[in-house]
Amino acid sequence: MSQSNDIAGLIRRNWMRVTDEVRQAAVAAGRAPDSVRVIGVSKYVDAATTRLLFDAGCCDLGESRPQVLWQKAETVERAVPENANRSLRWHMIGHVQTNKLRRMLPLGPLIHSVDSERILRAIDGEAHRQERVAEVLLEVNISGDENKTGLSPDAVGQLLEIPDLNSVRIIGLMAMAGWGTEPSQAASQFQDVAQLRDRLVASGGHTLPELSMGMSGDFREAIAAGATMVRIGSALFEGVR
Ligand SMILES: *Cc1c(COP(=O)(O)O)cnc(C)c1O
């Protein structure tokens, strides 16, 4: 067997294992087994290896740098016609710079990491120019970690009240547990995010169906707290690097 076949097999097994664990965590939380979407975070590997993850069944790919996202989109999307009934969605999970929006928005990504009014307005403006509607999540800093990105819970509420943003749709919240957080602490931080969402929905008439939280080390805790999307990288590329 060639080396690339080995890697393809390894990635397929990792994908099966991770998605199985995600379904089990959902069931353990009393939720439907397919209620959690796995975003395959491909930032650790090249475009060819990213494509192997798509081939293994992962239809949601996450990148933290816009340039890498649009470079990979060219390689990976060539695989899509051969898999006609599968569509690929890109997820922007890293810091967004306004000067990257023009090239990024045509790929139709879900942007997980909106953390300021400035970037929210910039996305709305560029999406309007391109005659599209961009979907975003608001990143909330729930760990209270000073050096972490993300909005305070109050700021999240304020961004939701900005009127006349017609080309951007806020569909949920994104969060990360603080660095070095114990699983039990992460669990309570994720519960805080879910409660914040519930409060915002109850008080403002917003619909915020998506909660993007949980990574390789803490997705079980996130799913128990209500995550609808988990962003998993390392666990999918175990043994590959
Ligand atoms: C890298 C990254 C992930 C994936 O983390 P793993 O621990 O490798 O699963 C998830 N979310 C964000 C924002 C990341 O930057």
Side-chain angles (χ1 to χ4, degrees), residues 35-187:
S35 58
V36 183
R37 186 177 288 264
V38 177
I39 316 300
V41 176
S42 51
K43 67 185 182 192
Y44 304 110
V45 298
D46 62 15
T49 312
T50 300
R51 184 185 157 158
L52 294 177
L53 183 59
F54 176 75
D55 290 342
C58 180
C59 294
D60 291 273
L61 294 172
E63 283 291 334
S64 51
R65 295 175 55 210
Q67 301 94 312
V68 178
L69 190 151
W70 67 61
Q71 281 160 14
K72 282 188 176 178
E74 287 193 12
T75 309
V76 181
E77 260 155 32
R78 264 185 254 125
V80 174
E82 302 159 24
N83 296 276
N85 52 358
R86 295 180 53 206
S87 58
L88 170 63
R89 184 162 205 199
W90 289 97
H91 296 257
M92 178 62 206
I93 62 172
H95 184 69
V96 188
Q97 298 136 296
T98 53
N99 63 350
K100 301 296 190 307
L101 291 172
R102 189 178 55 79
R103 264 188 91 172
M104 192 168 65
L105 291 189
L107 298 169
L110 173 60
I111 301 173
H112 290 231
S113 39
V114 170
D115 61 359
S116 70
E117 176 172 342
R118 194 178 71 89
I119 191 69
L120 184 66
R121 287 189 183 279
I123 294 169
D124 182 63
E126 184 58 36
H128 179 75
R129 270 187 291 282
Q130 296 187 13
E131 299 183 352
R132 33 182 110 244
V133 175
E135 287 188 324
V136 306
L137 307 177
L138 299 180
E139 180 177 351
V140 45
N141 179 347
I142 213 70
S143 67
D145 215 331
E146 283 284 318
N147 49 18
K148 284 219 93 145
T149 55
L151 298 152
S152 69
D154 285 347
V156 170
Q158 285 159 16
L159 291 206
L160 284 167
E161 297 306 327
I162 298 174
D164 301 325
L165 295 180
N166 298 318
S167 301
V168 68
R169 217 152 63 84
I170 301 170
I171 63 170
L173 305 180
M174 183 272 228
M176 275 188 272
W179 288 118
T181 305
E182 296 292 318
S184 64
Q185 256 179 307

Side-chain angles (χ1 to χ4, degrees), residues 1 21 26 31 110 126:
M1 220 191 336
E21 287 173 10
R31 303 171 54 195
L110 173 60
E126 184 58 36

